[in-house]
Structure formats: structure tokens, C-alpha cells
Amino acid sequence: MTTGLIPGGQPPDRRPTGGLPHQRHEPVGHAALPVDNRLRSSVITARAAASFEPVGRSVATARSFVRDTLQGWGFADIVDDAVVLTSELVTNAVVHAGTAADVLCLRSDEGVRIEVADHYPEREIPLQGHPSTMGSPDREGGRGLQLCAALANRWGVEYTPTHKTVWFQLVLPERAVGTRAAGPSLPADLLPLADGRVRVAVVQIDRGGAITAWSEDAEELFGYPSDQVTGKPLTDLAAWPHTPGTSTGIVEALQLSRWEGSYGIRGANGRVTPVYASHLRVRDTGGEPSTVCLLVRDHERAVLQTPLRMPSSDSSTSADGQSTDPFEVFIGSPAPDDLDGLLQRTVERARDMLDADSAFLLLATDDETELEVRASTGLPSARQRFARVPVEAGPGRYGSARMPAVHDDLTAVPGAVPLLNGTGMRSVVTVPLKVEGRLTGSLGVAAESPGRYSNEEALRLQFAADRIALAVESARLGELERLRRGSLSFLVEASDLLAGTLDRDQTLALMAQMTVPTLATWCAVYTIADQASEPYLSYVLHEDEELIDGIKSLLSKIPPPDPVPTPGARVWSKPGEVAHQAALRSSMRSLGLTGGPNRQVASGIGPTLATASAVGGETVVLPLVARNRVIGMLTLGKPTDEHFRQEILELAEDLSRRAALALDNARLYSERTAISQSLQRSLLPPELPEIGGVEVEVIYRAAGEGNEVGGDFYDLFPISEGVYGFAIGDVCGTGPEAAAVTGLARHALRLLAREGFGGPAVLERLNSAILDEGARSRFLTLLYGELRPQEDGSAELKVVCAGHPLPLRLRQDGTVEPAAEPQPLLGVMEDLELYEETVTLDPGDVLLCVTDGVTERREGTRMLGDDGLTDVLTTCTGLTAGAVAARIMRAVERFASDAPSDDMAILAMRVPGLQKD
């Protein structure tokens, strides 16, 4: 929906600039009179326009738009007719015609004109030659024009090539000046009590909520001079109570077109003065909105208070004698299409019907043992919403749910209606809602004065309850069905998300993010490492990120809930109690007071009032049970005065079971990953030894996620004084099985070399050890050598290349040549005849040893190969061993875009010489 308020002036001409001229059809019944377009020709003092999408909910939105607009203009006398007509015409547009609807409201001194345009001009409206051509009022569509003919002073249809507009005019009823609302003459002793000098404070608030005008009476009432408060937000002075049934605050109330009610103003002396206020939203000639607030002392509210509503008639017969639906008589037409809207409309109509100060409606649980508060109006707090009370037994039971009951004075029977405890209501009448003899709910109205209701009012209310009980139950069942479907979708999505990760911290975050704000306002997850450990606060989330730290600080300083394995949600009152006590202590300290009930609160908690409000509602704990062990607890909370619905708790319980299993799987995976990584790290050699006169650099990459060691391996270790062993090998395959052979080979090489065996003897004995592994054995390519630095600055190497890629020697002049001959690999044949070769590295020479993961790097059909490796090595003349290894690895990574699929190891040794300029 798009809306716009248009400054006063003439309405826009809807006629097209080209094409066919627009057509206008006037009802035949009005044809004898000249076309009455008075509002078109009169001065338009205000306009309001809105567009509505072609969806069903747009009808309700259009009704609200017209109602708010006309009430803001002060046209309360014609609001109902205008809303009914608009509803039918918008329904024709968005439902039956299937197009968007444009609604334009025009105000003049004489009344209002409302135009509803759709985008389906081909759908002609036939001229009404006889009332019979209008169709039946019981049809699904087509009632809009009938209602226009019955209710509007003037109406008509206009056509353009792109639009069809139905308009109607409603003229304000003629009334004598001063008699718009009147009451009877009363004796002096029955008149409202007021001070000798009644002061009405006039305060004007700008768009941002700041005070722009402050009258003399406001100065007298509250003690602030005008220059002291001008420019300050009214919220700095207002002591605002909770509005019943909603979350409306003073900021929202100042944005409404009209508002009336009680709150407090903090005076210059620090005391709060209860006031009764009437707010009116206005705009200046430039279109700038502001709010005018009229304030009187609360006991003088009669000066501003709207006259009480008259009880509505119970007649179920329309003015033309036709029978109407009693449900529509009570609820109105059309009825809200959602349960909350229906319940709220019900309590408002019940309150109006008995001229009450408040009304409430509770719905019964499936087993009829408890009642759940679902709607209320006129009560000082919404703290009971979704709260449950027993019907027949237990503390705070509902004493009169199954039968109609009238209580003349609740002070004589405290607790008879738990919802009204502490509200100031004295008299109340309650009636049951029943369907086929089964209790489905309870409806009640209450007044501040005692003795207001008798059995006659109870019968009237019961009659209304009987009319709506079936509709309420049907809407409730529909809501439950939608909730169950939504719950299944929610749980499926939650299961997919939880199954998509094995990271513990991410699992904790997902658990909290799925519950906030879908199921709760805030959430805390406790984890338990083992049966001997205390619960640990692992994660906290609130829908307002600024409150997370305060809640975390509060929860960390109070004992965690007990890890009870019993399934289901249980109430945990400690956070709310401690937060309330700590906030009270903070407030008392700010007022210079000490002592009091806050002594039991540990010092240092000190949550702000915002934190106390955030955790002040109902808090529940659900155990996280996996594999018959409590591994944690899921804590869900609501802000002050809010409770959980049973359906939400059942959904949270289902989620907690899935989350517990996911969290335990993440724990097991983390433990096994840690064990695996620890074992893998034990297969890697310790730090490389420092070799005088020789630079050594190693780069190692294991393929596969989570692998630190694979089938490739390397080693460099001292054998004796001045003699070092080095090896680089490749076990067939990757992963843990290859890593097992890697460990065998590396440790066997060290042991045999230090026993004094030469290179061929070391490899022959290693070959036998591999073959002894039987089915677990894997063949192994291995380059093994012994390094002896020489006094002349060179280095002597004795190498054996058993099936491994040949080592490459880079000379100072840039030539590259193999440094050994190929020999049989290990782990295949029992009898091997191996020999060693001697290589001398001159100063500046480099010996490069790699595994086949380097030379077999592929990109499609291309492979790096020995020639590609040689080409890269040729460019490394004069580089250090570390720079040579890094350049080789960089060339390998750039050769292909995909991640390597094989382990890779690079061992570079260089005898220092003259550096290249």
C-alpha cells in the first residue's frame, strides 16, 4: 500500500490527455436532479490518497485507512458508512476485478467524497433501469453499488481508457450548534469534581517529538517555564504506562491521528502528576505535521474525556425488516479474517455493548483445564497475554469459567478473575464460550465502579458469546493448522541448517539464531562438558544487539539452571527476579537511598533498566539431551509482562531435541578431529636442524580437508658428527592409511641410519618392514641421501632414488640436470639390489627434491611434468633455498585453478655462493 496526504486544493482531473473522453454514469434514481458534484466544486480542505495491491489483505488495510482518515478529520458521524462502502468497492477492485485499487478521500465543509478506482475499465456497470437489475445482496460480489444507493447521499461511476472510478458522497447530518453530544441535567452534587480553577495545559509537539509550544497553564501545572522545556522531547517528561493489549508507547501515541488516555508528567519538583490527555494530530499549511496535546489533572478528566458510548441494540432485524446474522450484528461486517483480529474486535464490541471500562477474552486449552489470555482492552497492562490460569483447581484458578457469573465487587472475592488482579476493576461479568457443550473460552467485561452489572447484562453478554463461539473456535483451529504447517517447515529448515555444520561454535550460533526472534525475544545456551562439570554459559543472543552484553553479564553472575533431563519446558524465574532486584537497587542508589530488599543482590551485577525489562518476562529452560545424557540447556526468554504460548513451547521442545543431537555430533567431531590432528602432527618431523654451510627449506601440503599428514613425507636429521640424513617419499594413496606407512618409513629411516647402515642397506631393510605389513602394506617411492658439508664450501651427497622423481641439480650458470639414476621402488619386491650415487654441490648449486604431486599437477589434459619443473627451476639461479622452494610452489599453484588433489612435498638444499645482483 502506498499512501500520501495532499495539501488542500482542487482534486486532480482524472480525464486522459488524449484518446476517448471519459464517461460518467449517474444512477437513474438520481437522474431527476442535476449532477451533484458539490464537493468537486466546493473548496477542498484536505485530501488523503492511498493505493492498495490486488491481494485479499488490502481490503482490511483500506478500511483502516479510511477510518483513520475520517476520524482524524473529525467525521466520526459518517465513519461507519464510509468504511462499509469503501470495503465493498475495494473488494470489487482487488478481489473480483483483480487489479490494484486507488482510494482518494476529499474533505470539505459539507462532508466527504471518496473515490475508489480500479484498472479494469472494460468491466462496464449497467445502467440501473430497475432495482431488480442490481442483483441479489447475497451474491459474492456486486453489492457495492447497492450499498452506495442505500447509504450515500450521491454516488456515480466514471470511466476513462485506463480506470473505472466509483465515487460516493456523504454529507454530515444537520445538527444544532452545541448538540453534537449532550448529557442530561444533573444535580450539583453529581457533577464531576474539579478544582476551583481548572487549568488545561496546551502543549504542541513537532514531527520529531520535541516540544514547540508550552502554555501558561502548563507552567502552572508542572512548574517548568516555557524556555526550559521548548525543544526537549516530551518523552523526557512523560511517565508512560503500558497500553493494554498492545506495545503502544508515547512515541506511537503522538503519531496517531487522535488519542485519548491517562499518563503522568514529571514536574519540576520531581513528582509525577497524573494527567488525562487528548492528542490531536494536525498539519500546517506547509504540510508539516505536529501533535496538539490538551492535558488536565487526571481527577478532572471529565473536562476532556469523550462521552461514554451508548449500549448497542440487540436487534437482529435490519431497518427494512430483513433478518440479519446475529454474528455480524455483534462483530460487524466484514469480520476480521485472522484470529487475533477477531478476538480483539470481540473484546472491543463487548466493552462497547455493556458500556464497560475493559474487556478480555481467554481461550481454553485442548483439555479444558487451563485458560490462556488472548485479547484485552482497557486494562492497565498487557502482562497477562498468553499467560495461563487453571480453570478449576490450583493457585490463581479461574473461579467462574464454565458458567455465567456476575461479581458486584472484586474486593470481596479477590482472585475470582486473576486477570483483573491489581487493575482497579471492581465489578465484572464473565460468560463461557462453548461449542457443542465443550468449553472453548471465556469472555468478560469489567468496570472500575462496583455494582455495575446484573443478570440482565450477563444474559446479553452470553447471547453475544453464543453468537461468536463457533467462529472463534473455527478461527482458532485454522490458526493451529497454519501454526503446525509453519512448525513443520521451520523444523525441516532447522534440521537442514544444523546438519550442514559440524563446528561446535557455529552450531551454538545457529541454535540461538533460529529461536530469536521466531520463538523468543532472547536466548541463552548452556553447555555441559561431562557429568562432573557445571553448566557453562556458551552463547547469548537478543533481538536487540545492544542488550546482549547486559544479559550475558547478568546470567554469568547467577547460578545456572539445574540440568534436569526431564523433557519439556520448565519456568526459570531467577533471571527476572535478580534483574528486578538489581534494577531496584540501582534506582534507589540514584535516589540516594540505601538498604531495602535489594541487599540480597550480589554487588557488581547492576544491569540497566533495559536489561531488567528484557529478561523480566517469562523464562523457560529446555534440556538438551543426546545419547541419554544432558549436554546442555536451551534457555528462552520474553521481555517484561510477556508469556510463551503453549504451541511455541512445543515447537521449541522439538527444536531442542534436534539441536541437542547436532551439538553432540559437533562435539564428537571436534574431539575426533583433535585426536586425528594430534596423531598426524606426531608423524611430522620436529624442527629441521641447522646445517653449517648448507641452506635447507621444506614446503609440505597434505591433500584433503582436515589432513595435516598424507602419503607424502620428508625428513632431515643428524646421523653423526657432520653427517645428516635426508629423505623425501611418497606412499601410494592419501589419508590415514597412507599416513600409517609414512610413520613407519620415517621412524625406520632414522633408526637404521643411526645404527650405521648405508643408504642401500637402510632402504632394503625398510622394504622388508613394509612387506611385513601384509595386506596393510603400500608401495613407496623414496629418495634417501646422506649430506656431508666439506671444508672447501661444497657439500657431498650420497643418494639412492628408489622409484621416486629424480632430484634436480641447478648450477650457477642456470643449467639443470638430474642428480641420480632411477631404481626400483619399495614395498613391491622382496629382493632389491640398490646402490648409492655420489653428488657434489658446488657453492651456489641447488638440489631440488619433489614428490609426484608437483610434477603431476594437471589442468585439463595439460600436466606440469618434469620439463615444466625444469623450466621453472632454470629461473631460480642465485635465489636462496627458501626462495627456490617458494617459487616452485607458486608455479605449481598457478598451473591449475582447482585445488590440488594429491599431497605435495618440496625439499630444496643450496650451498651458499655468490649472490646474483
Side-chain angles (χ1 to χ4, degrees), residues 564-595:
V564 178
T566 306
R570 54 192 173 91
V571 176
W572 185 32
S573 59
K574 194 66 174 178
E577 294 174 355
V578 173
H580 174 73
Q581 293 169 1
L584 178 60
R585 173 177 180 161
S586 178
S587 300
M588 294 181 68
R589 187 184 301 115
S590 67
L591 296 174
L593 303 176
T594 59

PDB file of all heavy atoms in Angstrom, residues 564-595:
ATOM      1  N   VAL A 564      18.254 -30.787  34.535  1.00  0.00           N
ATOM      2  CA  VAL A 564      17.267 -31.849  34.746  1.00  0.00           C
ATOM      3  C   VAL A 564      16.948 -32.491  33.396  1.00  0.00           C
ATOM      4  O   VAL A 564      16.617 -31.794  32.429  1.00  0.00           O
ATOM      5  CB  VAL A 564      15.989 -31.293  35.384  1.00  0.00           C
ATOM      6  CG1 VAL A 564      14.945 -32.393  35.561  1.00  0.00           C
ATOM      7  CG2 VAL A 564      16.313 -30.638  36.719  1.00  0.00           C
ATOM      8  N   PRO A 565      17.047 -33.825  33.268  1.00  0.00           N
ATOM      9  CA  PRO A 565      16.802 -34.469  31.973  1.00  0.00           C
ATOM     10  C   PRO A 565      15.331 -34.598  31.606  1.00  0.00           C
ATOM     11  O   PRO A 565      15.013 -35.062  30.519  1.00  0.00           O
ATOM     12  CB  PRO A 565      17.449 -35.845  32.153  1.00  0.00           C
ATOM     13  CG  PRO A 565      17.341 -36.123  33.616  1.00  0.00           C
ATOM     14  CD  PRO A 565      17.496 -34.784  34.305  1.00  0.00           C
ATOM     15  N   THR A 566      14.434 -34.215  32.506  1.00  0.00           N
ATOM     16  CA  THR A 566      13.003 -34.360  32.215  1.00  0.00           C
ATOM     17  C   THR A 566      12.627 -33.541  30.987  1.00  0.00           C
ATOM     18  O   THR A 566      12.930 -32.346  30.911  1.00  0.00           O
ATOM     19  CB  THR A 566      12.173 -33.873  33.413  1.00  0.00           C
ATOM     20  OG1 THR A 566      12.588 -34.556  34.587  1.00  0.00           O
ATOM     21  CG2 THR A 566      10.697 -34.107  33.164  1.00  0.00           C
ATOM     22  N   PRO A 567      11.977 -34.154  29.994  1.00  0.00           N
ATOM     23  CA  PRO A 567      11.642 -33.411  28.780  1.00  0.00           C
ATOM     24  C   PRO A 567      10.588 -32.344  29.047  1.00  0.00           C
ATOM     25  O   PRO A 567       9.837 -32.394  30.017  1.00  0.00           O
ATOM     26  CB  PRO A 567      11.105 -34.501  27.840  1.00  0.00           C
ATOM     27  CG  PRO A 567      10.631 -35.594  28.753  1.00  0.00           C
ATOM     28  CD  PRO A 567      11.550 -35.569  29.930  1.00  0.00           C
ATOM     29  N   GLY A 568      10.545 -31.362  28.150  1.00  0.00           N
ATOM     30  CA  GLY A 568       9.570 -30.279  28.275  1.00  0.00           C
ATOM     31  C   GLY A 568      10.187 -29.026  28.862  1.00  0.00           C
ATOM     32  O   GLY A 568      11.274 -29.045  29.447  1.00  0.00           O
ATOM     33  N   ALA A 569       9.457 -27.939  28.721  1.00  0.00           N
ATOM     34  CA  ALA A 569       9.930 -26.645  29.210  1.00  0.00           C
ATOM     35  C   ALA A 569       9.521 -26.452  30.664  1.00  0.00           C
ATOM     36  O   ALA A 569       8.414 -26.782  31.054  1.00  0.00           O
ATOM     37  CB  ALA A 569       9.363 -25.524  28.345  1.00  0.00           C
ATOM     38  N   ARG A 570      10.417 -25.902  31.449  1.00  0.00           N
ATOM     39  CA  ARG A 570      10.111 -25.557  32.829  1.00  0.00           C
ATOM     40  C   ARG A 570      10.481 -24.093  33.065  1.00  0.00           C
ATOM     41  O   ARG A 570      11.453 -23.583  32.496  1.00  0.00           O
ATOM     42  CB  ARG A 570      10.845 -26.462  33.823  1.00  0.00           C
ATOM     43  CG  ARG A 570      12.344 -26.522  33.622  1.00  0.00           C
ATOM     44  CD  ARG A 570      12.968 -27.647  34.434  1.00  0.00           C
ATOM     45  NE  ARG A 570      14.376 -27.838  34.146  1.00  0.00           N
ATOM     46  CZ  ARG A 570      15.372 -27.227  34.796  1.00  0.00           C
ATOM     47  NH1 ARG A 570      15.089 -26.401  35.804  1.00  0.00           N
ATOM     48  NH2 ARG A 570      16.626 -27.449  34.466  1.00  0.00           N
ATOM     49  N   VAL A 571       9.690 -23.430  33.881  1.00  0.00           N
ATOM     50  CA  VAL A 571       9.869 -21.999  34.118  1.00  0.00           C
ATOM     51  C   VAL A 571      11.088 -21.779  35.015  1.00  0.00           C
ATOM     52  O   VAL A 571      11.285 -22.492  36.007  1.00  0.00           O
ATOM     53  CB  VAL A 571       8.609 -21.390  34.764  1.00  0.00           C
ATOM     54  CG1 VAL A 571       8.831 -19.924  35.091  1.00  0.00           C
ATOM     55  CG2 VAL A 571       7.421 -21.542  33.821  1.00  0.00           C
ATOM     56  N   TRP A 572      11.895 -20.797  34.672  1.00  0.00           N
ATOM     57  CA  TRP A 572      13.076 -20.409  35.462  1.00  0.00           C
ATOM     58  C   TRP A 572      12.905 -18.930  35.813  1.00  0.00           C
ATOM     59  O   TRP A 572      13.044 -18.059  34.965  1.00  0.00           O
ATOM     60  CB  TRP A 572      14.346 -20.646  34.651  1.00  0.00           C
ATOM     61  CG  TRP A 572      15.618 -20.397  35.425  1.00  0.00           C
ATOM     62  CD1 TRP A 572      15.824 -20.593  36.748  1.00  0.00           C
ATOM     63  CD2 TRP A 572      16.852 -19.908  34.889  1.00  0.00           C
ATOM     64  NE1 TRP A 572      17.109 -20.270  37.089  1.00  0.00           N
ATOM     65  CE2 TRP A 572      17.773 -19.842  35.967  1.00  0.00           C
ATOM     66  CE3 TRP A 572      17.271 -19.522  33.623  1.00  0.00           C
ATOM     67  CZ2 TRP A 572      19.081 -19.414  35.800  1.00  0.00           C
ATOM     68  CZ3 TRP A 572      18.578 -19.099  33.455  1.00  0.00           C
ATOM     69  CH2 TRP A 572      19.480 -19.044  34.525  1.00  0.00           C
ATOM     70  N   SER A 573      12.585 -18.657  37.058  1.00  0.00           N
ATOM     71  CA  SER A 573      12.243 -17.293  37.471  1.00  0.00           C
ATOM     72  C   SER A 573      13.444 -16.489  37.940  1.00  0.00           C
ATOM     73  O   SER A 573      13.332 -15.276  38.129  1.00  0.00           O
ATOM     74  CB  SER A 573      11.200 -17.340  38.603  1.00  0.00           C
ATOM     75  OG  SER A 573      11.708 -18.068  39.712  1.00  0.00           O
ATOM     76  N   LYS A 574      14.592 -17.120  38.126  1.00  0.00           N
ATOM     77  CA  LYS A 574      15.731 -16.434  38.732  1.00  0.00           C
ATOM     78  C   LYS A 574      16.202 -15.214  37.940  1.00  0.00           C
ATOM     79  O   LYS A 574      16.446 -14.157  38.532  1.00  0.00           O
ATOM     80  CB  LYS A 574      16.885 -17.431  38.898  1.00  0.00           C
ATOM     81  CG  LYS A 574      17.998 -16.927  39.809  1.00  0.00           C
ATOM     82  CD  LYS A 574      17.519 -16.763  41.239  1.00  0.00           C
ATOM     83  CE  LYS A 574      18.665 -16.400  42.173  1.00  0.00           C
ATOM     84  NZ  LYS A 574      18.193 -16.196  43.565  1.00  0.00           N
ATOM     85  N   PRO A 575      16.368 -15.289  36.602  1.00  0.00           N
ATOM     86  CA  PRO A 575      16.853 -14.093  35.889  1.00  0.00           C
ATOM     87  C   PRO A 575      15.952 -12.883  36.090  1.00  0.00           C
ATOM     88  O   PRO A 575      16.442 -11.776  36.335  1.00  0.00           O
ATOM     89  CB  PRO A 575      16.873 -14.543  34.426  1.00  0.00           C
ATOM     90  CG  PRO A 575      16.993 -16.020  34.483  1.00  0.00           C
ATOM     91  CD  PRO A 575      16.223 -16.440  35.696  1.00  0.00           C
ATOM     92  N   GLY A 576      14.629 -13.061  35.979  1.00  0.00           N
ATOM     93  CA  GLY A 576      13.729 -11.934  36.155  1.00  0.00           C
ATOM     94  C   GLY A 576      13.794 -11.360  37.556  1.00  0.00           C
ATOM     95  O   GLY A 576      13.788 -10.141  37.739  1.00  0.00           O
ATOM     96  N   GLU A 577      13.852 -12.245  38.567  1.00  0.00           N
ATOM     97  CA  GLU A 577      13.901 -11.771  39.953  1.00  0.00           C
ATOM     98  C   GLU A 577      15.185 -10.981  40.226  1.00  0.00           C
ATOM     99  O   GLU A 577      15.143  -9.891  40.796  1.00  0.00           O
ATOM    100  CB  GLU A 577      13.802 -12.968  40.909  1.00  0.00           C
ATOM    101  CG  GLU A 577      12.456 -13.695  40.856  1.00  0.00           C
ATOM    102  CD  GLU A 577      12.459 -14.948  41.704  1.00  0.00           C
ATOM    103  OE1 GLU A 577      13.552 -15.284  42.248  1.00  0.00           O
ATOM    104  OE2 GLU A 577      11.413 -15.600  41.831  1.00  0.00           O
ATOM    105  N   VAL A 578      16.321 -11.536  39.821  1.00  0.00           N
ATOM    106  CA  VAL A 578      17.594 -10.871  40.092  1.00  0.00           C
ATOM    107  C   VAL A 578      17.698  -9.558  39.325  1.00  0.00           C
ATOM    108  O   VAL A 578      18.166  -8.545  39.852  1.00  0.00           O
ATOM    109  CB  VAL A 578      18.764 -11.814  39.740  1.00  0.00           C
ATOM    110  CG1 VAL A 578      20.101 -11.080  39.848  1.00  0.00           C
ATOM    111  CG2 VAL A 578      18.755 -13.025  40.662  1.00  0.00           C
ATOM    112  N   ALA A 579      17.255  -9.564  38.061  1.00  0.00           N
ATOM    113  CA  ALA A 579      17.300  -8.325  37.287  1.00  0.00           C
ATOM    114  C   ALA A 579      16.423  -7.254  37.912  1.00  0.00           C
ATOM    115  O   ALA A 579      16.811  -6.079  37.980  1.00  0.00           O
ATOM    116  CB  ALA A 579      16.862  -8.606  35.853  1.00  0.00           C
ATOM    117  N   HIS A 580      15.244  -7.643  38.392  1.00  0.00           N
ATOM    118  CA  HIS A 580      14.348  -6.677  39.024  1.00  0.00           C
ATOM    119  C   HIS A 580      14.976  -6.118  40.305  1.00  0.00           C
ATOM    120  O   HIS A 580      14.953  -4.905  40.544  1.00  0.00           O
ATOM    121  CB  HIS A 580      13.017  -7.345  39.344  1.00  0.00           C
ATOM    122  CG  HIS A 580      12.071  -6.480  40.117  1.00  0.00           C
ATOM    123  ND1 HIS A 580      11.400  -5.419  39.552  1.00  0.00           N
ATOM    124  CD2 HIS A 580      11.707  -6.519  41.426  1.00  0.00           C
ATOM    125  CE1 HIS A 580      10.657  -4.834  40.486  1.00  0.00           C
ATOM    126  NE2 HIS A 580      10.825  -5.481  41.611  1.00  0.00           N
ATOM    127  N   GLN A 581      15.533  -6.996  41.117  1.00  0.00           N
ATOM    128  CA  GLN A 581      16.138  -6.537  42.369  1.00  0.00           C
ATOM    129  C   GLN A 581      17.347  -5.645  42.107  1.00  0.00           C
ATOM    130  O   GLN A 581      17.541  -4.617  42.768  1.00  0.00           O
ATOM    131  CB  GLN A 581      16.539  -7.742  43.210  1.00  0.00           C
ATOM    132  CG  GLN A 581      15.347  -8.560  43.709  1.00  0.00           C
ATOM    133  CD  GLN A 581      15.763  -9.888  44.314  1.00  0.00           C
ATOM    134  OE1 GLN A 581      16.953 -10.200  44.378  1.00  0.00           O
ATOM    135  NE2 GLN A 581      14.791 -10.674  44.735  1.00  0.00           N
ATOM    136  N   ALA A 582      18.161  -6.021  41.115  1.00  0.00           N
ATOM    137  CA  ALA A 582      19.340  -5.215  40.815  1.00  0.00           C
ATOM    138  C   ALA A 582      18.951  -3.860  40.236  1.00  0.00           C
ATOM    139  O   ALA A 582      19.561  -2.837  40.555  1.00  0.00           O
ATOM    140  CB  ALA A 582      20.238  -5.968  39.830  1.00  0.00           C
ATOM    141  N   ALA A 583      17.926  -3.838  39.388  1.00  0.00           N
ATOM    142  CA  ALA A 583      17.460  -2.564  38.843  1.00  0.00           C
ATOM    143  C   ALA A 583      16.885  -1.690  39.947  1.00  0.00           C
ATOM    144  O   ALA A 583      17.079  -0.471  39.961  1.00  0.00           O
ATOM    145  CB  ALA A 583      16.427  -2.819  37.750  1.00  0.00           C
ATOM    146  N   LEU A 584      16.176  -2.320  40.903  1.00  0.00           N
ATOM    147  CA  LEU A 584      15.640  -1.567  42.037  1.00  0.00           C
ATOM    148  C   LEU A 584      16.771  -0.984  42.866  1.00  0.00           C
ATOM    149  O   LEU A 584      16.719   0.171  43.299  1.00  0.00           O
ATOM    150  CB  LEU A 584      14.769  -2.484  42.893  1.00  0.00           C
ATOM    151  CG  LEU A 584      14.167  -1.858  44.153  1.00  0.00           C
ATOM    152  CD1 LEU A 584      13.276  -0.678  43.798  1.00  0.00           C
ATOM    153  CD2 LEU A 584      13.378  -2.913  44.933  1.00  0.00           C
ATOM    154  N   ARG A 585      17.814  -1.770  43.064  1.00  0.00           N
ATOM    155  CA  ARG A 585      18.961  -1.275  43.821  1.00  0.00           C
ATOM    156  C   ARG A 585      19.616  -0.095  43.116  1.00  0.00           C
ATOM    157  O   ARG A 585      19.953   0.908  43.747  1.00  0.00           O
ATOM    158  CB  ARG A 585      19.970  -2.405  43.983  1.00  0.00           C
ATOM    159  CG  ARG A 585      21.281  -1.970  44.608  1.00  0.00           C
ATOM    160  CD  ARG A 585      22.198  -3.154  44.791  1.00  0.00           C
ATOM    161  NE  ARG A 585      23.456  -2.745  45.394  1.00  0.00           N
ATOM    162  CZ  ARG A 585      24.298  -3.555  45.990  1.00  0.00           C
ATOM    163  NH1 ARG A 585      24.011  -4.846  46.061  1.00  0.00           N
ATOM    164  NH2 ARG A 585      25.422  -3.134  46.505  1.00  0.00           N
ATOM    165  N   SER A 586      19.754  -0.199  41.788  1.00  0.00           N
ATOM    166  CA  SER A 586      20.353   0.888  41.021  1.00  0.00           C
ATOM    167  C   SER A 586      19.500   2.141  41.104  1.00  0.00           C
ATOM    168  O   SER A 586      20.015   3.257  41.260  1.00  0.00           O
ATOM    169  CB  SER A 586      20.530   0.454  39.563  1.00  0.00           C
ATOM    170  OG  SER A 586      21.053   1.498  38.789  1.00  0.00           O
ATOM    171  N   SER A 587      18.169   1.975  41.026  1.00  0.00           N
ATOM    172  CA  SER A 587      17.274   3.126  41.107  1.00  0.00           C
ATOM    173  C   SER A 587      17.328   3.779  42.484  1.00  0.00           C
ATOM    174  O   SER A 587      17.365   5.005  42.606  1.00  0.00           O
ATOM    175  CB  SER A 587      15.840   2.701  40.776  1.00  0.00           C
ATOM    176  OG  SER A 587      15.754   2.175  39.475  1.00  0.00           O
ATOM    177  N   MET A 588      17.366   2.956  43.519  1.00  0.00           N
ATOM    178  CA  MET A 588      17.424   3.503  44.874  1.00  0.00           C
ATOM    179  C   MET A 588      18.740   4.226  45.101  1.00  0.00           C
ATOM    180  O   MET A 588      18.790   5.266  45.770  1.00  0.00           O
ATOM    181  CB  MET A 588      17.242   2.381  45.894  1.00  0.00           C
ATOM    182  CG  MET A 588      15.855   1.734  45.864  1.00  0.00           C
ATOM    183  SD  MET A 588      15.657   0.429  47.087  1.00  0.00           S
ATOM    184  CE  MET A 588      15.714   1.377  48.599  1.00  0.00           C
ATOM    185  N   ARG A 589      19.817   3.696  44.529  1.00  0.00           N
ATOM    186  CA  ARG A 589      21.107   4.362  44.684  1.00  0.00           C
ATOM    187  C   ARG A 589      21.083   5.722  43.992  1.00  0.00           C
ATOM    188  O   ARG A 589      21.636   6.706  44.493  1.00  0.00           O
ATOM    189  CB  ARG A 589      22.214   3.492  44.102  1.00  0.00           C
ATOM    190  CG  ARG A 589      23.613   4.047  44.391  1.00  0.00           C
ATOM    191  CD  ARG A 589      24.697   3.217  43.708  1.00  0.00           C
ATOM    192  NE  ARG A 589      24.654   1.837  44.166  1.00  0.00           N
ATOM    193  CZ  ARG A 589      24.349   0.807  43.389  1.00  0.00           C
ATOM    194  NH1 ARG A 589      24.031   1.015  42.118  1.00  0.00           N
ATOM    195  NH2 ARG A 589      24.338  -0.416  43.860  1.00  0.00           N
ATOM    196  N   SER A 590      20.429   5.775  42.812  1.00  0.00           N
ATOM    197  CA  SER A 590      20.360   7.054  42.098  1.00  0.00           C
ATOM    198  C   SER A 590      19.525   8.079  42.850  1.00  0.00           C
ATOM    199  O   SER A 590      19.697   9.283  42.655  1.00  0.00           O
ATOM    200  CB  SER A 590      19.791   6.832  40.692  1.00  0.00           C
ATOM    201  OG  SER A 590      18.436   6.432  40.767  1.00  0.00           O
ATOM    202  N   LEU A 591      18.601   7.598  43.699  1.00  0.00           N
ATOM    203  CA  LEU A 591      17.775   8.498  44.510  1.00  0.00           C
ATOM    204  C   LEU A 591      18.394   8.785  45.865  1.00  0.00           C
ATOM    205  O   LEU A 591      17.786   9.459  46.693  1.00  0.00           O
ATOM    206  CB  LEU A 591      16.376   7.890  44.695  1.00  0.00           C
ATOM    207  CG  LEU A 591      15.542   7.715  43.426  1.00  0.00           C
ATOM    208  CD1 LEU A 591      14.251   6.968  43.742  1.00  0.00           C
ATOM    209  CD2 LEU A 591      15.243   9.053  42.782  1.00  0.00           C
ATOM    210  N   GLY A 592      19.581   8.257  46.108  1.00  0.00           N
ATOM    211  CA  GLY A 592      20.241   8.487  47.378  1.00  0.00           C
ATOM    212  C   GLY A 592      19.729   7.624  48.500  1.00  0.00           C
ATOM    213  O   GLY A 592      19.951   7.941  49.668  1.00  0.00           O
ATOM    214  N   LEU A 593      19.055   6.509  48.173  1.00  0.00           N
ATOM    215  CA  LEU A 593      18.526   5.615  49.195  1.00  0.00           C
ATOM    216  C   LEU A 593      19.407   4.388  49.291  1.00  0.00           C
ATOM    217  O   LEU A 593      20.062   3.981  48.339  1.00  0.00           O
ATOM    218  CB  LEU A 593      17.096   5.196  48.849  1.00  0.00           C
ATOM    219  CG  LEU A 593      16.095   6.350  48.669  1.00  0.00           C
ATOM    220  CD1 LEU A 593      14.763   5.793  48.231  1.00  0.00           C
ATOM    221  CD2 LEU A 593      15.954   7.141  49.961  1.00  0.00           C
ATOM    222  N   THR A 594      19.439   3.762  50.454  1.00  0.00           N
ATOM    223  CA  THR A 594      20.203   2.533  50.668  1.00  0.00           C
ATOM    224  C   THR A 594      19.343   1.554  51.415  1.00  0.00           C
ATOM    225  O   THR A 594      18.304   1.894  51.977  1.00  0.00           O
ATOM    226  CB  THR A 594      21.498   2.810  51.468  1.00  0.00           C
ATOM    227  OG1 THR A 594      21.137   3.390  52.723  1.00  0.00           O
ATOM    228  CG2 THR A 594      22.421   3.755  50.706  1.00  0.00           C
ATOM    229  N   GLY A 595      19.845   0.308  51.452  1.00  0.00           N
ATOM    230  CA  GLY A 595      19.123  -0.733  52.176  1.00  0.00           C
ATOM    231  C   GLY A 595      17.948  -1.221  51.384  1.00  0.00           C
ATOM    232  O   GLY A 595      17.813  -1.014  50.203  1.00  0.00           O
TER     233      GLY A 595
END
